[in-house]
Amino acid sequence: MTADERLPQPAATEIDLVTVLHALGDPVRMRLLTSYADGAEHSCDPRHLGLDHLHKSTVSHHMRVLREAGVTTTRVAGRNRFVSLRRTDLDARFPGLLDALLAAAPGTAVTPSAPRTTTPTPIPAAD
Amino acid sequence: MTADERLPQPAATEIDLVTVLHALGDPVRMRLLTSYADGAEHSCDPRHLGLDHLHKSTVSHHMRVLREAGVTTTRVAGRNRFVSLRRTDLDARFPGLLDALLAAAPGTAVTPSAPRTTTPTPIPAAD
């Protein structure tokens, strides 16, 4: 038995603005941001994120970029991984930025064909 | 004699958030943004932008990315080109975003002659 762990991520005070912007300067990652905007934990399953048209490894790559930039945090619970937005850290470091981004994000209203599931369904880890 | 012209740029209503974030997800371009934050027109001379350690063609490339993203506008007057921030367009399209970015930007207070102290550019992920 091990306690829940986090995948590597920058400390709150080390989140870099340019790195965050680079992470979000991609349509898939911006789409993920809008999915995470509800503050809930999300599974890594592309189907739960409306990204089932992408290969699992591609989604994993985008998730890693977001995590390493400090945008998201990933909790590891056994074989499951749950991703959520680091809203408190981002709001403290870049006041107003996240609100402005989410208000402007084109994908905040997700397409009907890809319903967004906010319930963190436990599934086997992506990798 | 020709009137002042503008280099090609997207219409205000066509400025895309992800494209703007991608444009600003680079330390040199973020540095340029902070230089343009004063609202004035700036010459394209790297020395006037505190970027004299970069080749002129490199600075031109970064300026083009900003312009094509809709972040800046370039006025052509004879042989001279003057770059300024599209603050009104950006504020209208993404309310609060520019203010949040400039408040958070590490290089907002930059003296033109000072060497760039921003962190080295991370190798961009292959998108």
Side-chain angles (χ1 to χ4, degrees), chain A:
Chain A
M1 287 291 291
T2 58
D4 286 352
E5 295 175 2
R6 299 272 165 186
L7 293 187
Q9 64 182 39
T13 55
E14 288 173 358
I15 299 175
D16 175 66
L17 178 62
V18 171
T19 305
V20 167
L21 297 178
H22 180 267
L24 296 177
D26 175 278
V28 172
R29 296 196 289 266
M30 179 57 75
R31 163 69 173 266
L32 286 170
L33 178 74
T34 62
S35 292
Y36 299 149
D38 60 6
E41 288 190 315
H42 292 257
S43 89
C44 298
D45 189 334
R47 293 170 298 178
H48 294 174
L49 296 160
L51 296 173
D52 44 339
H53 58 296
L54 297 179
H55 193 278
K56 204 166 183 176
S57 65
T58 302
V59 176
S60 291
H61 161 74
H62 287 302
M63 287 181 169
R64 182 173 57 79
V65 173
L66 289 173
R67 174 174 51 78
E68 291 180 348
V71 175
T72 57
T73 185
T74 301
R75 180 171 65 88
V76 180
R79 292 178 57 83
N80 300 311
R81 296 180 177 197
F82 300 100
V83 180
S84 57
L85 189 61
R86 294 179 66 178
R87 181 181 277 278
T88 302
D89 292 338
L90 291 167
D91 284 347
R93 189 130 177 86
F94 313 122
L97 179 61
L98 208 50
D99 285 340
L101 288 174
L102 291 172
T108 302
V110 180
T111 55
S113 60
R116 183 162 55 89
T117 301
T118 57
T119 307
T121 308
I123 57 160
D127 44 14

Side-chain angles (χ1 to χ4, degrees), chain B residues 98-118:
Chain B
L98 207 52
D99 286 339
L101 287 174
L102 291 172
T108 300
V110 172
T111 53
S113 59
R116 187 165 61 88
T117 55
T118 337

